[in-house]
Amino acid sequence: MDFVLILQIIVLLGAIFVGIRLGGIGIGYAGGIGVVILGLCLGMKPGSIPWDVILIIMSVIAAISAMQLAGGLDYLVQIAEKILRSNPKYINFLAPTVTYFLTILAGTGHTAFSMIPVIVEVAKEQNIKPSAPLSIAVVSSQIAITASPVSAAVVYMTGVLEPLGWSYPTLIGLWLVTTFAGCMLTALIITLFADLDLSKDPVYQERLAQGLVKPSVGVQNKELKPGAKLSVGIFLIGVLLVVLYATAISKVGGKPVLIENVIVPRDAAIMSFMLGVATFITIFCKIEVGKVADTSVFKSGMVACVCVLGVAWLGNTFVGGYTNEIKTLAGDWVKAVPSLLAVIFFFAAMLLYSQAATAKAITPVVVAALGISATNPGDAYMLVASFAAVSALFVLPTYPTLLGAVQMDDTGSTRLGKYVFNHAFLIPGILAIAFSVAFGFIASALI
């Protein structure tokens, strides 16, 4: 390892560390500074900016923001709260189920924010440490990105895998089943083996004595806006159209399902459909478009775009400078032990802070290293099975929904440790990804 490489690694990790310390959008800012230093001071050519990922995130966020302004998210939260309160003793299973399917629908894990206060309330009422359902719910909201038909990560990976013989419906179905099963098995293990008794938590007792724990307020029947249900209906129709169109242009056995001459590719279709959804919600639900930018979803979504821009650009710059070396190393490792691809995805996601950015940075290198092509698609199953591992955004305790769970749990059971990694989300996250990947290898082998 030469001196320049050591400096480049220091800049890469240093920029990420500074971004983590700044928090939120700061990781995107610091990523841009890292690119400048690598380019101007250390001679690395700036990598590609993942514009398609950013634009898909922006278009989906635009539609969800319009739905939120119309009251649609409040309506979905009411439905989810009824589900959680209908069987409160099963909160460890229902909480991740709700956040999982909200993410599947919306294509962003930030929808979990709206459910965190409800999960805390229901857990307290059952004398269950909120850290248990919260940790699984937050992790599930991240892993579900790899099964959402409107997420940038899925759009990218299906585009890579379709020419290799994997049809869009097959991939969506496989990822839905394996990731949900992984999350539910994790919930079962946490329920069976974790200490769930809230009354025995010393931090909770201390906060309770100080009057820092709020009493339960029960079901919140917030009055819905007139267009709330309609906005959800329009959004659901938009998601359904995305799935139908993506299926229609996909290929099964090398032949297109319905549309042979594809004029509008899948990523462009998703962007246009989502902007169309936002347009119809604006017209029929009579929202004020000037207030869309004030919604919490819009703000968090634009923060996510800047984070992807900065940190993914930084990662692509470094990876691009050592593509041949990474190809050789990754090829040797993955050929020897296929499951190591999941480990590579896991650690890359931990640093790149985005499922889509991770997939886009690592997948081309692995495809080239293994010699995967349309005429030699044999090892493509490794990509299918390992895809869930790009969701390791929980390792560093900096992701917004993770921090939100810590801040909103007034019992103090969901907390960060002194040593960065010893937090409530690490073990559930590792288990959920490990199970999802294991199920992925089993399912892809059967298919």
Side-chain angles (χ1 to χ4, degrees):
M1 185 180 292
D2 59 30
F3 181 66
V4 174
L5 174 57
I6 292 173
L7 287 178
Q8 290 167 342
I9 292 174
I10 290 173
V11 171
L12 172 70
L13 298 179
I16 292 170
F17 176 76
V18 170
I20 289 171
R21 293 299 299 269
L22 291 175
I25 201 171
I27 195 167
Y29 294 162
I33 294 175
V35 173
V36 171
I37 297 173
L38 289 177
L40 296 182
C41 303
L42 298 174
M44 298 194 82
K45 182 180 179 180
S48 59
I49 299 175
W51 288 118
D52 52 347
V53 172
I54 294 170
L55 293 174
I56 289 173
I57 293 173
M58 288 177 65
S59 58
V60 172
I61 289 298
I64 299 172
S65 300
M67 182 173 69
Q68 182 182 24
L69 189 60
L73 277 187
D74 291 333
Y75 176 55
L76 289 176
V77 169
Q78 281 191 9
I79 294 174
E81 183 173 4
K82 289 177 182 178
I83 293 172
L84 291 180
R85 291 188 181 279
S86 62
N87 289 286
K89 63 181 179 179
Y90 298 116
I91 183 70
N92 286 348
F93 297 95
L94 292 176
T97 298
V98 166
T99 57
Y100 181 92
F101 283 103
L102 279 175
T103 299
I104 291 290
L105 171 67
T108 171
H110 289 152
T111 51
F113 271 118
S114 57
M115 293 312 305
I116 291 173
V118 181
I119 295 170
V120 173
E121 284 256 321
V122 176
K124 285 194 296 187
E125 292 168 4
Q126 297 298 307
N127 193 39
I128 294 173
K129 289 182 181 179
S131 58
L134 281 178
S135 60
I136 311 168
V138 168
V139 167
S140 294
S141 72
Q142 295 178 0
I143 292 179
I145 288 290
T146 59
S148 171
V150 291
S151 75
V154 167
V155 172
Y156 172 75
M157 285 300 286
T158 52
V160 170
L161 290 166
E162 270 195 331
L164 304 177
W166 291 85
S167 71
Y168 177 84
T170 299
L171 290 170
I172 292 295
L174 187 148
W175 289 331
L176 267 169
V177 172
T178 56
T179 56
F180 184 67
C183 292
M184 289 301 100
L185 183 53
T186 301
L188 176 62
I189 290 175
I190 297 298
T191 301
L192 292 177
F193 297 103
D195 179 12
L196 302 178
D197 193 338
L198 178 60
S199 63
K200 295 180 180 178
D201 189 310
V203 175
Y204 166 69
Q205 291 296 344
E206 183 180 333
R207 292 179 62 83
L208 192 64
Q210 295 173 355
L212 299 176
V213 180
K214 300 175 184 176
S216 177
V217 294
V219 179
Q220 297 294 296
N221 290 315
K222 184 177 180 180
E223 185 177 351
L224 296 174
K225 295 181 180 179
K229 295 180 181 179
L230 178 59
S231 68
V232 172
I234 293 171
F235 187 84
L236 287 174
I237 291 171
V239 173
L240 179 61
L241 289 175
V242 166
V243 174
L244 292 176
Y245 181 80
T247 301
I249 66 173
S250 68
K251 295 182 179 180
V252 177
K255 297 181 180 180
V257 174
L258 285 176
I259 302 174
E260 185 170 358
N261 298 317
V262 179
I263 298 174
V264 181
R266 186 174 294 122
D267 53 353
I270 286 180
M271 287 185 269
S272 57
F273 278 133
M274 289 295 102
L275 293 176
V277 164
T279 302
F280 286 123
I281 290 175
T282 301
I283 294 172
F284 293 110
C285 299
K286 297 180 174 59
I287 65 171
E288 296 183 44
V289 288
K291 294 182 178 179
V292 169
D294 296 328
T295 63
S296 60
V297 169
F298 187 88
K299 291 175 182 177
S300 62
M302 293 307 107
V303 167
C305 286
V306 175
C307 289
V308 170
L309 170 62
V311 78
W313 193 13
L314 173 65
N316 288 344
T317 298
F318 182 82
V319 170
Y322 292 97
T323 300
N324 292 330
E325 291 84 350
I326 295 173
K327 280 181 185 177
T328 302
L329 190 62
D332 292 342
W333 286 2
V334 176
K335 282 179 182 177
V337 184
S339 58
L340 281 179
L341 176 56
V343 178
I344 294 170
F345 274 149
F346 185 95
F347 284 103
M350 188 178 92
L351 298 176
L352 294 181
Y353 216 58
S354 163
Q355 291 94 333
T358 301
K360 194 159 189 183
I362 302 299
T363 301
V365 177
V366 172
V367 168
L370 297 178
I372 300 172
S373 65
T375 55
N376 182 34
D379 289 334
Y381 78 94
M382 299 179 189
L383 294 168
V384 177
S386 302
F387 182 40
V390 302
S391 299
L393 312 185
F394 55 81
V395 179
L396 297 174
T398 56
Y399 201 73
T401 48
L402 187 153
L403 293 176
V406 173
Q407 293 166 0
M408 293 184 208
D409 179 8
D410 59 356
T411 69
S413 69
T414 310
R415 46 188 179 264
L416 305 178
K418 297 179 181 179
Y419 306 106
V420 181
F421 295 105
N422 59 328
H423 53 76
F425 307 86
L426 186 64
I427 292 176
I430 292 174
L431 287 175
I433 284 183
F435 291 139
S436 297
V437 170
F439 290 146
F441 272 99
I442 293 170
S444 59
L446 293 174
I447 293 174

